Amino acid sequence: MNAAKIAYRPVGLLLSVAAGALAGAAFKQTWKAVGHDDDTPDALDEDRGWTEVLVASAVHGVIFAVVKAAVARSGATATRRLTGTWPA
């Protein structure tokens, strides 16, 4: 493993944390925009129905996966531009 790949590990970890926070914020805004409550449903929320909980989970998962992939890909591309090496 070369130095660029080793140096990318903490950067990749920070990018993953940032992606998770960004995805959470994007989901909350999306959930509000489609006309639901400001409070997102939780699986253990007794007042929410199965459909609402499962749809919210599916939407959250899609947003999280897309944001995480976009951030990871951007980080890898930036690393290649800076070092000439793909970090994976």
Side-chain angles (χ1 to χ4, degrees), residues 9-84:
R9 288 190 176 246
V11 172
L13 181 62
L14 290 174
L15 287 174
S16 293
V17 170
L22 182 62
F27 171 67
K28 285 183 181 182
Q29 292 302 315
T30 301
W31 194 252
K32 283 186 211 177
V34 295
H36 294 285
D37 297 335
D38 288 343
D39 187 28
T40 58
D42 183 68
L44 299 178
D45 191 350
E46 189 175 19
D47 299 329
R48 307 286 181 123
W50 276 88
T51 302
E52 186 177 16
V53 169
L54 295 179
V55 167
S57 294
V59 170
H60 188 262
V62 167
I63 290 171
F64 181 80
V66 169
V67 170
K68 186 174 185 234
V71 169
R73 187 70 180 196
S74 297
T77 302
T79 299
R80 175 182 269 170
R81 285 185 189 143
L82 292 173
T83 67

